[in-house]
Amino acid sequence: MQSILPHLITSGICVLFITIFLSYLYRRTPKIDKGFELIYFKLSYRRKLIRCFTSLPLFIAGIAFIILFSDLSEVATFWLILSFILIAVIQIIYNIYRWRTTET
């Protein structure tokens, strides 16, 4: 059985580089506060927060999928899920903070 760790590291690095690139690309563009916008980096912090909350059901379904169908050990599954939850909570707190500081 192959280890999943190299795949997770590679995927994480790819996501990190894409996030940095898109963040830099849309850094100085006007932010959208009404309507639908596919690109996350074009949204205002209020809309980013709304998107975080509306994507929670998909997030929970993804965690359930990992629990049910992964071949990871219980410890690895626990740490993976814990890291996902921490990232989501930090993202929500950051968006609330930035929304409050930029809108006042």
Side-chain angles (χ1 to χ4, degrees), residues 36-99:
F36 178 76
E37 177 59 46
L38 183 63
I39 300 174
Y40 181 80
F41 299 98
K42 286 185 175 182
L43 297 174
S44 66
Y45 285 107
R46 185 181 77 85
R47 295 296 295 175
K48 287 180 182 181
L49 182 63
I50 292 171
R51 183 173 286 184
C52 285
F53 285 128
T54 56
S55 64
L56 277 178
L58 289 174
F59 180 74
I60 293 169
I63 289 176
F65 184 81
I66 289 172
I67 292 171
L68 294 174
F69 298 111
S70 71
D71 289 340
L72 298 173
S73 68
E74 292 177 4
V75 173
T77 303
F78 169 77
W79 285 110
L80 186 64
I81 291 170
L82 182 67
S83 64
F84 283 171
I85 291 171
L86 282 175
I87 289 170
V89 167
I90 290 170
Q91 182 180 16
I92 289 171
I93 290 170
Y94 176 76
N95 284 333
I96 290 171
Y97 171 75
R98 291 294 300 194
W99 172 41

